[in-house]
């Protein structure tokens, strides 16, 4: 990450920036401003096998696995039977040696290797594997954060996962740069398959979700909020989600989840539009997206004005509707362009629409990174994608008679990449 400040003599303080220099200034401010990554699947090294890092993990990312099955005759069952290193070898040979790595995910691996001083054109993985084996985990983590320009990030934490539960019980989180988010998919979307875990840990719940189940789920959430201090609770929802509803999910949401959020003073993050396992043979790579009816979201915001909702939607077709509802409900904060939307052409379109409708009152992006080094290319791409969108908005403002200054750009960028989240979550310590 470039940290050079814009030379003060050029455009000091509130001096208007010439129209022809706006893009340059915006790019340099974006480069110099550290971000808070509000949604990842990363863990600090102390979480051991959960803290994914290295070339084999980068290459077996589910985005690249889906590409492999399009570019290779290998069947999914054959691929899953291979050891991780052989899976990575296959993906490297197929997507990077025999084909040009033009996709966003493949190009990202090239960007990571280059940023770390490695040759992205090697024919095999011997040298990158040797490099990652030699790294001290803590020093490597510091370097990745610096290269990515990340100040801190938010994990995805599921205490119903046995491995993660054990780490929280035994050690907690030793790195304050890794903030927690309490994920509740298993209890809201898959109660039938996971209520038994709650019961085994001393919570009086039953398979139907009746009786004391709501109260006990709320007790579970409250206890884990106190233990891991999450910045928000989070759940992914299908494109078929409806609210209000007569289903168990709606009842648990009303009676347990939203009260727990209000009590803790933290938002609920809703990630809407996932279609799970449209091709089960591809496992995690087999999920897809669908257009949702966001009337459910409007109903939720209107019925619970004392709750705050961080919201991202997976369908491109839902983006405008989300912006319109954000103009109507102050307790709704749009964030990010995730998964199938995280491509520069689509990110620019969505971000431009948000600027035009919401000004700077949204959170433009998160990395959704699952492997540590992905932070490097995902935030590099975000800065590169945001720059022309913001520059165009400032140029239009200048053409209409507004004053565009370095001070104003620095303020706006800081709000977008960390300040808005800090204020909306109201639980993020540190400088804005």
């Amino acid at each position: 990450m470039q940290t050079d400040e814009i030379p003060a003599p050029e455009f000091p303080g509130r001096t208007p920036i010439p129209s022809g220099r706006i893009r340059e200034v915006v790019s340099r401010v974006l480069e110099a401003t550290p971000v808070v990554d509000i949604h990842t699947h990363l863990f600090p090294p102390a979480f051991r096998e959960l803290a994914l890092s290295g070339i084999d993990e980068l290459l077996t990312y589910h985005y690249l696995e889906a590409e492999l099955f399009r570019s290779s005759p290998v069947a999914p069952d054959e691929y899953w039977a291979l050891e991780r290193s052989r899976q990575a070898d296959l993906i490297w040979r197929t997507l990077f040696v025999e084909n040009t790595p033009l996709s966003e995910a493949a190009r990202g691996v090239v960007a990571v290797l280059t940023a770390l001083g490695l040759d992205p054109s090697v024919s095999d993985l011997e040298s990158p594997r040797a490099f990652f084996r030699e790294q001290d985990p803590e020093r490597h983590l510091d370097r990745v954060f610096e290269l990515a320009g990340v100040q801190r990030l938010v994990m995805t934490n599921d205490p119903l996962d046995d491995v993660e539960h054990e780490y929280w019980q035994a050690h907690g989180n030793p790195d304050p740069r890794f903030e927690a988010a309490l994920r509740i998919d298993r209890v809201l979307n898959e109660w039938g398959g996971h209520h038994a875990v709650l019961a085994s840990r001393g919570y009086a719940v039953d398979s139907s979700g009746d009786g004391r189940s709501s109260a006990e789920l709320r007790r579970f959430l409250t206890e884990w909020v106190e233990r891991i201090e999450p910045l928000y609770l989070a759940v992914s929802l299908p494109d078929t989600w409806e609210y209000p509803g007569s289903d168990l999910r709606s009842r648990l949401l009303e009676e347990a989840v939203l009260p727990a959020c209000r009590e803790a003073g933290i938002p609920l993050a809703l990630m809407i539009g996932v279609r799970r396992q449209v091709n089960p043979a591809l496992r995690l790579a087999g999920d897809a997206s669908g257009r949702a009816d966001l009337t459910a979201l409007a109903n939720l915001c209107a019925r619970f004005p004392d709750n705050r909702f961080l919201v991202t939607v997976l369908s491109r077709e839902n983006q405008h509707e989300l912006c319109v509802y954000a103009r109507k409900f102050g307790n709704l904060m749009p964030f990010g362009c995730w998964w199938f939307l995280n491509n520069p052409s689509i990110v620019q379109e969505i971000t431009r629409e948000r600027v035009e409708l919401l000004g700077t009152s949204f959170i433009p992006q998160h990395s959704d990174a699952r492997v540590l080094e992905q932070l490097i290319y995902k935030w590099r791409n975000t800065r590169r994608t945001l720059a022309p969108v913001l520059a165009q908005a400032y140029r239009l403002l200048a053409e209409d008679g507004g004053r565009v200054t370095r001070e104003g750009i620095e303020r706006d960028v800081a709000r977008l990449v960390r300040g808005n989240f800090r204020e909306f979550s109201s639980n993020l310590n540190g400088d804005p």
Side-chain angles (χ1 to χ4, degrees):
M1 175 188 175
Q2 298 291 329
T3 58
D4 297 338
E5 293 186 358
I6 302 162
E10 279 191 286
F11 313 115
R14 300 178 182 179
T15 302
I17 301 171
S19 180
R21 303 291 300 278
I22 288 176
R23 171 68 181 271
E24 173 194 349
V25 175
V26 168
S27 295
R28 295 176 72 175
V29 170
L30 281 166
E31 286 292 322
T33 306
V35 306
V36 172
D37 192 338
I38 80 162
H39 172 58
T40 78
H41 297 268
L42 300 177
F43 294 87
F47 280 64
R48 299 185 182 275
E49 68 266 36
L50 295 177
L52 303 183
S53 176
I55 189 63
D56 289 349
E57 298 294 347
L58 283 167
L59 290 171
T60 54
Y61 185 42
H62 60 93
Y63 286 31
L64 294 174
E65 289 174 332
E67 288 186 42
L68 170 71
F69 298 130
R70 292 190 58 80
S71 305
S72 167
V74 67
D77 286 347
E78 297 176 73
Y79 173 81
W80 301 125
L82 299 174
E83 294 181 354
R84 178 59 56 90
S85 61
R86 294 196 57 195
Q87 291 174 342
D89 287 334
L90 176 60
I91 290 175
W92 182 258
R93 183 175 71 249
T94 302
L95 300 183
F96 295 82
V97 177
E98 297 174 356
N99 290 279
T100 303
L102 291 179
S103 73
E104 184 77 355
R107 185 167 51 80
V109 176
V110 173
V112 167
L113 295 177
T114 302
L116 294 173
L118 301 172
D119 183 356
S121 62
V122 293
S123 59
D124 61 55
L125 298 176
E126 181 179 354
S127 57
R129 282 184 176 134
F131 169 84
F132 283 107
R133 282 196 301 268
E134 294 168 357
Q135 301 307 302
D136 173 78
E138 295 294 341
R139 291 182 180 178
H140 181 63
L141 173 65
D142 292 342
R143 185 182 181 193
V144 169
F145 267 58
E146 181 179 2
L147 287 170
V150 172
Q151 183 183 74
R152 59 182 68 184
L153 58 80
V154 184
M155 304 177 282
T156 295
N157 305 107
D158 184 354
L160 291 187
D161 178 270
D162 289 337
V163 175
E164 187 173 348
H165 179 268
E166 184 175 329
Y167 278 115
W168 281 111
Q169 292 283 72
H171 309 293
N173 174 24
D175 193 329
R177 292 173 297 181
F178 287 74
E179 301 274 7
L182 182 55
R183 192 67 175 254
I184 55 175
D185 289 46
R186 298 193 198 210
V187 293
L188 278 191
N189 296 331
E190 305 164 24
W191 180 264
H194 295 95
H195 73 278
V197 179
L198 287 171
S200 71
R201 295 181 185 170
Y203 297 95
V205 299
D206 59 36
S207 59
S208 67
D210 293 330
R212 296 176 56 195
S213 293
S214 291
E216 287 293 273
L217 174 59
R218 181 174 176 179
R219 180 167 72 89
F220 164 77
L221 296 174
T222 298
E223 290 176 357
W224 276 93
V225 164
E226 292 175 354
R227 176 169 294 161
I228 70 176
E229 298 181 338
L231 299 184
Y232 57 82
L233 271 60
V235 62
S236 59
L237 295 166
D239 58 305
T240 56
W241 173 57
E242 296 179 348
Y243 184 85
S246 58
D247 58 336
L248 178 59
R249 176 166 52 204
S250 294
R251 179 152 53 85
L252 295 177
L253 183 66
E254 293 176 351
E255 298 177 359
V257 175
L258 293 176
C261 286
R262 288 195 299 272
E263 181 181 7
I266 57 177
L268 172 63
L270 304 173
M271 294 173 280
I272 306 167
V274 180
R275 288 185 179 175
R276 297 292 185 193
Q277 297 294 279
V278 297
N279 186 349
L282 272 58
R283 301 188 182 180
L284 188 59
D287 293 346
S289 65
R291 180 175 181 173
D293 181 357
L294 294 190
T295 303
L297 175 62
N299 292 338
L300 196 66
C301 290
R303 184 170 292 191
F304 297 97
D306 294 332
N307 280 94
R308 286 164 288 150
F309 301 95
L310 287 159
V311 180
T312 191
V313 287
L314 190 52
S315 170
R316 180 183 182 184
E317 291 74 20
N318 279 137
Q319 301 303 321
H320 182 258
E321 188 179 6
L322 176 62
C323 283
V324 171
Y325 283 137
R327 288 172 61 91
K328 310 307 171 187
F329 297 102
N331 59 340
L332 192 165
M333 174 65 76
F335 76 95
C337 303
W338 62 310
W339 209 335
F340 308 112
L341 299 175
N342 193 12
N343 297 300
S345 59
I346 301 177
V347 173
Q348 283 196 6
E349 171 192 315
I350 293 171
T351 306
R352 184 172 291 115
E353 181 176 71
R354 289 174 176 174
V355 170
E356 291 170 350
L357 281 166
L358 304 175
T360 59
S361 64
F362 66 97
I363 299 166
Q365 192 55 301
H366 60 274
S367 74
D368 202 23
R370 290 179 177 268
V371 184
L372 174 64
E373 295 79 15
Q374 290 174 341
L375 290 174
I376 297 172
Y377 87 82
K378 292 200 173 199
W379 281 106
R380 177 185 179 183
N381 286 351
T382 292
R383 290 182 172 91
R384 187 161 53 188
T385 303
L386 287 180
V389 175
L390 294 178
Q392 181 192 40
Y394 288 124
R395 280 198 301 269
L396 291 173
L397 176 62
E399 290 173 6
D400 287 337
R403 288 171 56 87
V404 178
T405 66
R406 177 171 58 89
E407 180 183 67
I409 293 173
E410 290 174 342
R411 176 200 61 208
D412 295 342
V413 169
R415 284 176 177 170
L416 287 167
V417 302
R418 60 178 191 266
N420 288 339
F421 177 62
R422 180 188 63 82
E423 293 175 8
F424 196 77
S425 67
S426 73
N427 199 24
L428 184 60
N429 297 319
D431 296 331

